mmCIF file of all heavy atoms in Angstrom:
data_model
loop_
_atom_site.group_PDB
_atom_site.id
_atom_site.type_symbol
_atom_site.label_atom_id
_atom_site.label_comp_id
_atom_site.label_asym_id
_atom_site.label_seq_id
_atom_site.Cartn_x
_atom_site.Cartn_y
_atom_site.Cartn_z
ATOM 1 N N TYR B 444 -1.830 -19.057 11.014
ATOM 2 C CA TYR B 444 -2.372 -17.829 11.475
ATOM 3 C C TYR B 444 -1.431 -17.038 12.232
ATOM 4 O O TYR B 444 -0.918 -17.433 13.216
ATOM 5 C CB TYR B 444 -3.681 -18.238 12.271
ATOM 6 C CG TYR B 444 -4.693 -17.096 12.608
ATOM 7 C CD1 TYR B 444 -5.880 -17.156 11.905
ATOM 8 C CD2 TYR B 444 -4.357 -16.249 13.598
ATOM 9 C CE1 TYR B 444 -6.845 -16.098 12.256
ATOM 10 C CE2 TYR B 444 -5.305 -15.210 13.982
ATOM 11 C CZ TYR B 444 -6.500 -15.185 13.365
ATOM 12 O OH TYR B 444 -7.385 -14.290 13.688
ATOM 13 N N VAL B 445 -1.219 -15.826 11.764
ATOM 14 C CA VAL B 445 -0.307 -14.922 12.528
ATOM 15 C C VAL B 445 -1.185 -13.895 13.377
ATOM 16 O O VAL B 445 -2.006 -13.382 12.817
ATOM 17 C CB VAL B 445 0.659 -14.104 11.452
ATOM 18 C CG1 VAL B 445 1.355 -12.950 12.291
ATOM 19 C CG2 VAL B 445 1.543 -15.073 10.902
ATOM 20 N N THR B 446 -0.843 -13.712 14.529
ATOM 21 C CA THR B 446 -1.577 -12.776 15.337
ATOM 22 C C THR B 446 -0.805 -12.180 16.452
ATOM 23 O O THR B 446 0.311 -12.767 16.952
ATOM 24 C CB THR B 446 -2.886 -13.355 15.903
ATOM 25 O OG1 THR B 446 -3.471 -12.381 16.610
ATOM 26 C CG2 THR B 446 -2.563 -14.490 16.871
ATOM 27 N N HIS B 447 -1.239 -11.053 16.961
ATOM 28 C CA HIS B 447 -0.607 -10.388 18.175
ATOM 29 C C HIS B 447 -1.442 -10.706 19.316
ATOM 30 O O HIS B 447 -1.102 -10.605 20.536
ATOM 31 C CB HIS B 447 -0.743 -8.841 18.089
ATOM 32 C CG HIS B 447 0.427 -8.158 17.368
ATOM 33 N ND1 HIS B 447 0.244 -7.457 16.204
ATOM 34 C CD2 HIS B 447 1.729 -8.183 17.688
ATOM 35 C CE1 HIS B 447 1.383 -7.009 15.823
ATOM 36 N NE2 HIS B 447 2.313 -7.427 16.769
ATOM 37 N N ASP B 448 -2.665 -11.089 19.010
ATOM 38 C CA ASP B 448 -3.793 -11.186 20.039
ATOM 39 C C ASP B 448 -3.739 -12.612 20.723
ATOM 40 O O ASP B 448 -3.947 -13.677 20.128
ATOM 41 C CB ASP B 448 -5.069 -10.994 19.254
ATOM 42 C CG ASP B 448 -6.234 -10.886 20.305
ATOM 43 O OD1 ASP B 448 -6.405 -11.700 21.160
ATOM 44 O OD2 ASP B 448 -6.929 -9.818 20.178
ATOM 45 N N GLN B 449 -3.553 -12.467 22.078
ATOM 46 C CA GLN B 449 -3.418 -13.731 22.898
ATOM 47 C C GLN B 449 -4.756 -14.565 22.765
ATOM 48 O O GLN B 449 -4.681 -15.734 22.724
ATOM 49 C CB GLN B 449 -3.305 -13.285 24.398
ATOM 50 C CG GLN B 449 -2.139 -12.490 24.586
ATOM 51 C CD GLN B 449 -1.364 -13.216 25.592
ATOM 52 O OE1 GLN B 449 -1.794 -14.144 26.297
ATOM 53 N NE2 GLN B 449 -0.235 -12.720 25.968
ATOM 54 N N VAL B 450 -5.855 -13.772 22.827
ATOM 55 C CA VAL B 450 -7.192 -14.512 22.815
ATOM 56 C C VAL B 450 -7.264 -15.304 21.581
ATOM 57 O O VAL B 450 -7.714 -16.415 21.585
ATOM 58 C CB VAL B 450 -8.363 -13.483 22.953
ATOM 59 C CG1 VAL B 450 -9.600 -14.285 23.102
ATOM 60 C CG2 VAL B 450 -8.056 -12.734 24.387
ATOM 61 N N GLU B 451 -6.957 -14.612 20.529
ATOM 62 C CA GLU B 451 -7.069 -15.332 19.174
ATOM 63 C C GLU B 451 -6.184 -16.604 19.188
ATOM 64 O O GLU B 451 -6.577 -17.678 18.706
ATOM 65 C CB GLU B 451 -6.654 -14.544 18.023
ATOM 66 C CG GLU B 451 -7.674 -13.450 17.638
ATOM 67 C CD GLU B 451 -7.064 -12.432 16.685
ATOM 68 O OE1 GLU B 451 -6.261 -12.821 15.854
ATOM 69 O OE2 GLU B 451 -7.688 -11.199 16.604
ATOM 70 N N ALA B 452 -4.994 -16.413 19.656
ATOM 71 C CA ALA B 452 -3.997 -17.535 19.605
ATOM 72 C C ALA B 452 -4.543 -18.623 20.475
ATOM 73 O O ALA B 452 -4.535 -19.710 20.134
ATOM 74 C CB ALA B 452 -2.701 -17.082 20.154
ATOM 75 N N MET B 453 -5.005 -18.384 21.820
ATOM 76 C CA MET B 453 -5.367 -19.346 22.674
ATOM 77 C C MET B 453 -6.670 -20.086 22.186
ATOM 78 O O MET B 453 -6.808 -21.344 22.420
ATOM 79 C CB MET B 453 -5.739 -18.816 24.102
ATOM 80 C CG MET B 453 -4.419 -18.139 24.785
ATOM 81 S SD MET B 453 -2.971 -19.239 24.895
ATOM 82 C CE MET B 453 -3.462 -19.871 26.512
ATOM 83 N N THR B 454 -7.575 -19.267 21.618
ATOM 84 C CA THR B 454 -8.875 -19.926 21.314
ATOM 85 C C THR B 454 -8.887 -20.659 20.001
ATOM 86 O O THR B 454 -9.570 -21.677 19.804
ATOM 87 C CB THR B 454 -9.972 -18.841 21.202
ATOM 88 O OG1 THR B 454 -9.622 -17.804 20.331
ATOM 89 C CG2 THR B 454 -10.191 -18.237 22.574
ATOM 90 N N LEU B 455 -8.096 -20.191 19.010
ATOM 91 C CA LEU B 455 -8.105 -20.777 17.749
ATOM 92 C C LEU B 455 -7.145 -21.972 17.568
ATOM 93 O O LEU B 455 -7.477 -22.901 16.850
ATOM 94 C CB LEU B 455 -7.778 -19.793 16.568
ATOM 95 C CG LEU B 455 -8.849 -18.599 16.316
ATOM 96 C CD1 LEU B 455 -8.344 -17.586 15.438
ATOM 97 C CD2 LEU B 455 -10.080 -19.302 15.857
ATOM 98 N N ALA B 456 -5.990 -21.891 18.219
ATOM 99 C CA ALA B 456 -5.021 -22.769 17.856
ATOM 100 C C ALA B 456 -5.154 -24.211 18.355
ATOM 101 O O ALA B 456 -5.620 -24.487 19.372
ATOM 102 C CB ALA B 456 -3.691 -22.201 18.393
ATOM 103 N N ASP B 457 -4.691 -25.225 17.515
ATOM 104 C CA ASP B 457 -4.336 -26.497 17.934
ATOM 105 C C ASP B 457 -2.919 -26.493 18.401
ATOM 106 O O ASP B 457 -2.461 -27.150 19.311
ATOM 107 C CB ASP B 457 -4.494 -27.560 16.702
ATOM 108 C CG ASP B 457 -5.880 -27.591 16.228
ATOM 109 O OD1 ASP B 457 -6.791 -27.615 17.078
ATOM 110 O OD2 ASP B 457 -6.040 -27.629 14.977
#
Side-chain angles (χ1 to χ4, degrees):
Chain B
Y444 189 104
V445 168
T446 183
H447 274 118
D448 188 303
Q449 300 237 352
V450 181
E451 283 172 31
M453 300 301 272
T454 56
L455 289 172
D457 296 319

